[in-house]
Amino acid sequence: MATFVTPPPAQVMVPYSQSFISILSGLPPSSTSTSTPSTTSGTDPTATLYKNPSSQSPYLFLPLPHFDRVLAINPTLLPTPPTAASLVSLSTCSKVLIILLRSGALSHCLFTNATISHHATKRHYTVRKGQGGSQSSNDKGKGKANSMGAQLRRDGERKTREDCRAIGCGEDIDLIVIGCPKVMRGGLLSDLGLTKDDARLRVLRGGYKVKFEECKRVFKDITRVEVRPMNEEEERIVNGNGDGDGEDTPQKLRAMNLDASEQIDEESESEDETDPTPPLTPLHTEVQSSSANLSLPSPHLDAQAGPDLSTPLHLACSLNLPTLVSQLLAAGASPVIKDARWRVPWQVCSSNACRLALRKGRALAESGSAPSYDWDSAKIPSIDLEAEKERQEAQRARQKEKEKEKKKRQKERKKKEKAEKEEADKRREEEEAEAKRKADFQKSKLHLKTVGERACDWCGSEVRFAKDLLRWRDYKYCKPECVREHKRECAAKAAEKRFG
């Protein structure tokens, strides 16, 4: 184990820019010395890193037994698998590049000795609102669209790739941390000119927003180490009883010699690894089956299980079960526990209903009606229940009014369609009756015969007064249409006789 000349402070947060070597060699963490440890205060080559997966935020820690202290470190800082050389080399890191990418939003920030030397945030239109998916994916699956929106999205994707290529990832950068969806990671690395095997590359886990303030937060979260007293859980892990039931299954992450020249035998390590994925508890199973009434209270309320080390509250949030979220919070489920991807339940919510249930849980806790937690660490915003109730009532009233207006418009539209249909049917019946009357008159061979003093010689209809009849040549008609039709027929017969 590491040997100390002087005991370190009880608890101190140290940025990565301060020498890890000074901490491991026994000098106070506040020391600015970066010289190589002496032989009297050097590190022990049997020093071992351990992982604490059952905590609210899984982390790696290095025991410092001479002073009952541990050095806790964010696992994002180390490569997978972690090596001794990577731990010691962190003390020499001077430049760290943070890159966040999501859809058409890109933010990157370069830190030099923990000071911002350059940053930029750009956004381009690449995803159709309400539809999701990139334009390039839609082009591959459905064919290339030629609409103006599709062209704008393609141009936005092109500009985003140009922005990625413009980021400098030279050899002078010691650490590169990227955060982007898995499907976009290959394209981002290609645009940056990097490969997934680059020793400087680290992948950010958990939720994040693409903006400058988030780059600063990410840098602050991942580039700090904590020197503090060892707690009971860490003692059990170091002693080989990390599961708490007395079995000899140590939670050792990886034995690492601080001498960078020694290598780890990957094959032997995989054979010795005996830390399986924690199985799902009965409460996890009830949440997965969407049971209406959970078995509460339960000893597994905050138990972490599954490949992502999710709690029952994580599962309820990710499966969009706001009723179960409220039940778990009322029973005392912790909203600050993080899963294996460093996400609190708020960050895995799949709907606004679950987010509202979490916010109501915070309001009840602040009023003393439920257990209280560090809600800022849980990332759950506060909410005024009375104002939220009024907002929901107003929203329901607006929705009810919209439904009423919608039904009214539907009723008016149906009434109008019915009237138009009736009018069209009546007009069609009249036209059919007129056509039938004309056809019957033609068949009766009464055409151009006088059937009466007030009868039309063309259609046979009678008028009220004989003086109302129209005359052409020796014929009389009831209306101008009969005159025109008779004239057309006479012209047709004359033409047929002339050319026929």
Side-chain angles (χ1 to χ4, degrees):
M1 295 293 181
T3 305
F4 285 81
V5 176
T6 56
Q11 182 172 354
V12 61
M13 300 301 292
V14 186
Y16 84 99
S17 56
Q18 289 187 283
S19 174
F20 274 82
I21 296 179
S22 65
I23 297 174
L24 299 177
S25 62
L27 298 178
S30 59
S31 172
T32 57
S33 172
T34 58
S35 60
T36 304
S38 63
T39 56
T40 58
S41 61
T43 58
D44 189 333
T46 63
T48 303
L49 271 180
Y50 294 85
K51 179 181 180 181
N52 186 355
S54 59
S55 66
Q56 296 179 358
S57 300
Y59 60 90
L60 306 180
F61 66 93
L62 177 70
L64 311 175
H66 289 278
F67 304 105
D68 295 329
R69 303 283 191 270
V70 293
L71 184 148
I73 184 171
N74 192 315
T76 305
L77 275 177
L78 301 178
T80 304
T83 63
S86 63
L87 178 62
V88 177
S89 65
L90 290 177
S91 61
T92 61
C93 289
S94 60
K95 288 189 176 182
V96 177
L97 178 62
I98 308 292
I99 303 174
L100 304 179
L101 174 65
R102 188 182 294 275
S103 299
L106 173 67
S107 181
H108 59 93
C109 188
L110 178 63
F111 295 83
T112 304
N113 293 326
T115 303
I116 300 173
S117 58
H118 172 74
H119 72 86
T121 300
K122 297 183 179 180
R123 297 180 182 274
H124 299 291
Y125 174 52
T126 61
V127 178
R128 184 178 179 184
K129 185 177 181 181
Q131 300 296 321
S134 64
Q135 184 61 42
S136 58
S137 299
N138 292 334
D139 290 344
K140 293 177 182 178
K142 302 179 181 178
K144 193 171 183 180
N146 293 321
S147 65
M148 182 56 67
Q151 296 178 39
L152 290 174
R153 290 188 288 274
R154 292 191 194 98
D155 185 66
E157 291 180 353
R158 178 185 59 80
K159 291 180 179 179
T160 301
R161 297 199 67 176
E162 290 178 355
D163 294 338
C164 293
R165 295 189 187 102
I167 301 175
C169 296
E171 298 296 334
D172 57 330
I173 297 179
D174 302 306
L175 203 62
I176 302 174
V177 181
I178 64 172
C180 71
K182 190 174 181 180
V183 295
M184 302 176 64
R185 194 175 300 161
L188 175 61
L189 294 179
S190 176
D191 293 336
L192 295 174
L194 301 174
T195 63
K196 63 180 181 179
D197 299 327
D198 195 313
R200 304 173 297 166
L201 188 63
R202 305 289 187 271
V203 178
L204 182 64
R205 308 295 181 184
Y208 55 86
K209 297 181 180 179
V210 182
K211 55 184 182 179
F212 171 56
E213 290 77 9
E214 193 74 1
C215 289
K216 294 192 293 184
R217 184 195 66 80
V218 169
F219 178 82
K220 181 180 178 182
D221 287 349
I222 71 173
T223 58
R224 293 196 305 175
V225 295
E226 181 182 3
V227 179
R228 53 173 174 72
M230 182 183 296
N231 56 41
E232 295 181 359
E233 185 176 5
E234 290 165 347
E235 289 181 1
R236 290 196 300 270
I237 293 174
V238 173
N239 294 330
N241 296 320
D243 53 357
D245 57 4
E247 297 181 4
D248 54 347
T249 55
Q251 301 289 334
K252 180 188 298 186
L253 173 69
R254 197 166 301 270
M256 297 190 342
N257 293 331
L258 294 181
D259 182 4
S261 62
E262 294 193 20
Q263 302 295 328
I264 301 174
D265 187 351
E266 295 287 341
E267 297 180 356
S268 62
E269 182 184 347
S270 61
E271 294 174 357
D272 295 335
E273 202 168 324
T274 58
D275 184 20
T277 300
L280 297 180
T281 65
L283 187 58
H284 284 84
T285 306
E286 290 182 8
V287 172
Q288 280 188 336
S289 61
S290 304
S291 176
N293 296 315
L294 301 178
S295 301
L296 298 174
S298 171
H300 308 294
L301 197 59
D302 291 332
Q304 293 180 277
D308 287 339
L309 298 180
S310 301
T311 64
L313 188 57
H314 278 94
L315 285 180
C317 290
S318 62
L319 296 176
N320 188 19
L321 302 172
T323 304
L324 300 190
V325 170
S326 301
Q327 292 183 23
L328 291 170
L329 287 176
S334 173
V336 300
I337 298 178
K338 295 182 180 180
D339 61 8
R341 299 172 63 185
W342 293 73
R343 300 175 301 178
V344 292
W346 173 267
Q347 295 172 318
V348 301
C349 285
S350 57
S351 68
N352 289 331
C354 288
R355 296 186 184 95
L356 182 60
L358 289 173
R359 297 181 70 184
K360 287 183 177 179
R362 172 174 180 170
L364 292 174
E366 291 175 347
S367 64
S369 302
S372 181
Y373 296 94
D374 185 359
W375 299 101
D376 292 334
S377 299
K379 305 184 184 301
I380 300 176
S382 60
I383 186 174
D384 186 350
L385 289 181
E386 293 296 331
E388 179 64 20
K389 184 178 180 180
E390 293 177 359
R391 186 191 69 79
Q392 289 183 353
E393 290 178 352
Q395 184 177 3
R396 283 194 293 268
R398 289 194 300 269
Q399 187 66 23
K400 188 176 180 180
E401 188 67 24
K402 287 182 180 179
E403 292 293 335
K404 186 177 179 181
E405 291 293 332
K406 184 178 178 181
K407 291 181 179 179
K408 183 179 179 181
R409 289 194 300 269
Q410 289 177 347
K411 187 176 180 181
E412 292 177 353
R413 185 172 63 252
K414 289 181 179 180
K415 185 177 180 181
K416 183 178 178 181
E417 290 175 353
K418 182 179 180 181
E420 291 177 351
K421 184 179 180 181
E422 290 178 351
E423 184 179 355
D425 292 342
K426 184 178 179 181
R427 187 167 54 249
R428 185 176 63 256
E429 290 175 358
E430 291 177 353
E431 291 175 353
E432 291 176 353
E434 181 68 15
K436 186 176 182 300
R437 187 183 63 78
K438 288 183 179 182
D440 293 343
F441 179 72
Q442 294 287 347
K443 292 179 181 179
S444 65
K445 298 182 180 182
L446 297 176
H447 183 49
L448 300 178
K449 293 183 179 179
T450 303
V451 294
E453 216 176 82
R454 294 177 286 109
C456 176
D457 292 336
W458 176 254
C459 66
S461 300
E462 293 185 0
V463 295
R464 186 173 183 182
F465 302 102
K467 66 178 182 178
D468 294 333
L469 292 171
L470 303 175
R471 297 186 180 275
W472 178 67
R473 294 182 180 179
D474 296 332
Y475 307 107
K476 55 184 182 297
Y477 309 93
C478 63
K479 52 187 177 182
E481 286 79 2
C482 294
V483 180
R484 288 194 292 269
E485 290 180 6
H486 188 199
K487 285 183 178 180
R488 282 196 294 269
E489 183 173 321
C490 291
K493 287 183 178 181
E496 184 179 356
K497 185 177 180 180
R498 185 167 59 250
F499 296 106

